[in-house]
Amino acid sequence: SQQGEEDPQALSIQEGENATMNCSYKTSINNLQWYRQNSGRGLVHLILIRSNEREKHSGRLRVTLDTSKKSSSLLITASRAADTASYFCATEMNTGNQFYFGTGTSLTVIP
Amino acid sequence: DTEVTQTPKHLVMGMTNKKSLKCEQHMGHRAMYWYKQKAKKPPELMFVYSYEKLSINESVPSRFSPECPNSSLLNLHLHALQPEDSALYLCASSQAYTGNTIYFGEGSWLTVV
């Protein structure tokens, strides 16, 4: 399988706490993207980090990428109940236009 | 406008039926994708079209037949499906060169009875 692995599979935190989820992948990539999916809905793009970048921020999101370890992390700070969703990493192969998803992390933020 | 529109939202079909899922985008993207997602699982890549030509087929059974009539439209023709094909089918699009965001539609829920 070309999928990455994410951990934890599920995460439950209190509102206001930080949430960290990790993604590991198998092959060299062009970039890595993080998506959010509310139950039964489409995927919403959160952030893209290129293979030559190590860290990126967007609002309450912080993403890191370590290509030597083939891993990435997504940090959501000051979580809100509305952040409750599944989060997926997706890697783009060096050949381009092939995006494979990680196994996902289900985040529950308790008000 | 970063919208990918999929129709229908829900589809119930028998195993002998022929139906189609449709996807449309007006972002000028020249790469379009079909993904299949089962409950509590990640999306799985099925097909990729680049400049209206099929570039990737992830060993998908022939009962799924993709079509890209023009740069804005992507169809998925369904025939003789099995109950295990019931899933959320997601369409996406992106620029055709690397390093770009892919944008997803809301998906079509397919139930095969």
Side-chain angles (χ1 to χ4, degrees), chain B residues 19-20 34 46-47 49 60-67 75-79:
Chain B
K19 298 284 185 183
S20 296
W34 281 114
M46 299 175 72
F47 301 105
Y49 272 83
V60 179
S62 60
R63 57 186 183 268
F64 295 91
S65 175
E67 178 197 18
N75 299 321
L76 186 62
H77 302 298
L78 314 170
H79 174 55

Side-chain angles (χ1 to χ4, degrees), chain A residues 35 37 41 50 97 99-100, chain B residues 35 37 58 96 99 102 106:
Chain A
Y35 287 82
Q37 186 178 37
R41 305 292 302 275
R50 301 184 196 286
N97 296 139
F99 296 86
Y100 295 97
Chain B
Y35 283 82
Q37 187 178 26
E58 290 282 339
I102 55 170
E106 287 290 316

Side-chain angles (χ1 to χ4, degrees), chain B residues 19-77:
Chain B
K19 298 284 185 183
S20 296
L21 305 180
K22 297 186 184 302
C23 175
E24 188 169 8
Q25 57 87 17
H26 294 288
M27 294 178 275
H29 290 167
R30 302 302 296 274
M32 296 187 77
Y33 311 78
W34 281 114
Y35 283 82
K36 172 183 176 181
Q37 187 178 26
K38 303 280 275 185
K40 299 191 185 302
K41 295 289 187 183
E44 295 179 10
L45 183 62
M46 299 175 72
F47 301 105
V48 181
Y49 272 83
S50 181
Y51 294 98
E52 296 85 71
K53 289 187 175 12
L54 182 65
S55 59
I56 303 286
N57 177 343
E58 290 282 339
S59 303
V60 179
S62 60
R63 57 186 183 268
F64 295 91
S65 175
E67 178 197 18
C68 190
N70 61 54
S71 60
S72 300
L73 295 174
L74 185 66
N75 299 321
L76 186 62
H77 302 298

